[in-house]
């Protein structure tokens, strides 16, 4: 027999899984609590035991999707097998590819800011992505692959650009076409950071 802690974890996981499926398919507003508990196979009391309300469940689903997105990006980048700037390029590509997932588009990019509120959405989003961008950027500067500069503002600019690119993709009626366009734009920005990129007078910077 499962322990009480195991039963609690299973119930919560079932609710989060049901929320992910229904919020991705129907959106937050069109998903009822009755549908959530029926899909999860639990009681209404179980829902309110684990979550204050539907919005609280949405936040748990949002964090679950964000964590999965961060894991997917991390698995896709060749840490230890490529230079930091190439890791940053591949990580950006992996992030944009992951944003082709309709669940990521709807839950993270389209409905997250509205349901959670801008400040909470930004806080969670940065917790999973900003630190990774910052650490790779620091490594690229230390390795001489990226021009030395203020790391924290630059990390925010890069991360914000990636999020905006992903939101443009999510709002499009042709995400695959937009994916190619925003991918090229991101590559242009990252190439411009290279220590070997032309300087203001057209000279090449040395790493």
């Amino acid at each position: 027999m499962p322990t009480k802690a195991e039963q609690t974890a299973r119930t919560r996981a079932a609710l989060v899984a049901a929320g992910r499926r229904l919020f991705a398919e129907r959106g937050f507003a069109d998903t009822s609590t009755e549908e959530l508990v029926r899909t999860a196979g639990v009681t209404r009391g179980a829902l309110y035991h684990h979550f204050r309300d539907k919005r609280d469940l949405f936040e748990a689903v949002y964090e679950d999707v964000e964590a999965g997105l961060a894991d997917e990006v991390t698995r896709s980048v060749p840490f230890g097998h490529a230079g930091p700037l190439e890791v940053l390029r591949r990580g950006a590509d992996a992030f944009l590819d992951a944003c082709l997932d309709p669940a990521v588009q709807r839950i993270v990019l389209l409905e997250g800011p509205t349901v959670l509120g801008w400040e909470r959405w930004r806080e969670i989003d940065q917790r999973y992505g900003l630190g990774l961008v910052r650490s790779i950027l620091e490594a690229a500067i230390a390795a001489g692959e990226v021009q030395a500069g203020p790391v924290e503002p630059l990390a925010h600019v890069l991360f914000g650009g990636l999020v905006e690119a992903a939101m443009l993709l999510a709002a499009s009626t042709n995400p695959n076409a937009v994916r190619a366009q925003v991918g090229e734009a991101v590559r242009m920005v990252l190439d411009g950071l290279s220590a070997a990129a032309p300087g203001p007078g057209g000279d090449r910077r040395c790493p």
Side-chain angles (χ1 to χ4, degrees):
M1 291 291 292
T3 66
K4 186 174 182 179
E6 289 172 337
Q7 290 177 329
T8 297
R10 288 179 185 177
T11 300
R12 181 182 174 86
L15 285 163
V16 170
R20 176 169 181 149
R21 172 185 161 189
L22 294 174
F23 293 144
E25 290 176 355
R26 306 183 185 185
F28 178 80
D30 291 332
T31 298
S32 68
T33 55
E34 288 77 11
E35 290 173 305
L36 287 166
V37 297
R38 183 168 61 250
T39 301
V42 302
T43 65
R44 190 178 182 87
L47 170 64
Y48 291 109
H49 174 75
H50 291 277
F51 303 100
R52 292 188 302 274
D53 50 26
K54 186 172 73 167
R55 181 202 169 282
D56 196 34
L57 173 59
F58 181 91
E59 182 169 326
V61 170
Y62 178 87
E63 289 231 27
D64 185 65
V65 176
E66 278 277 19
L69 181 59
D71 287 344
E72 186 172 343
V73 170
T74 301
R75 286 195 304 269
S76 300
V77 297
F79 290 110
H81 301 285
L85 186 55
E86 181 61 20
V87 168
L88 197 55
R89 290 190 183 103
R90 295 197 196 181
D93 277 335
F95 171 74
L96 293 173
D97 286 342
C99 289
L100 290 171
D101 182 344
V104 173
Q105 291 178 20
R106 188 159 200 172
I107 294 170
V108 173
L109 300 168
L110 299 177
E111 295 210 326
T114 302
V115 177
L116 300 178
W118 173 257
E119 289 187 2
R120 182 59 176 158
W121 172 77
R122 186 168 179 267
E123 175 190 340
I124 298 172
D125 196 44
Q126 289 189 349
R127 185 194 315 152
Y128 285 97
L130 181 62
L132 183 60
V133 172
R134 184 193 299 114
S135 63
I136 299 174
L137 186 59
E138 287 173 341
I141 291 174
E145 293 187 0
V146 167
Q147 307 161 45
V151 174
E152 190 66 20
L154 187 53
H156 277 267
V157 168
L158 289 179
F159 182 69
L162 283 171
V163 172
E164 281 297 318
M167 294 184 83
L168 183 65
L169 181 157
S172 171
T173 56
N174 190 350
N176 289 305
V178 174
R179 163 65 184 91
Q181 294 170 355
V182 298
E184 179 60 24
V186 170
R187 279 191 293 274
M188 290 173 65
V189 171
L190 294 178
D191 287 347
L193 291 175
S194 172
D203 56 310
R204 304 294 294 183
R205 298 187 181 90
C206 295

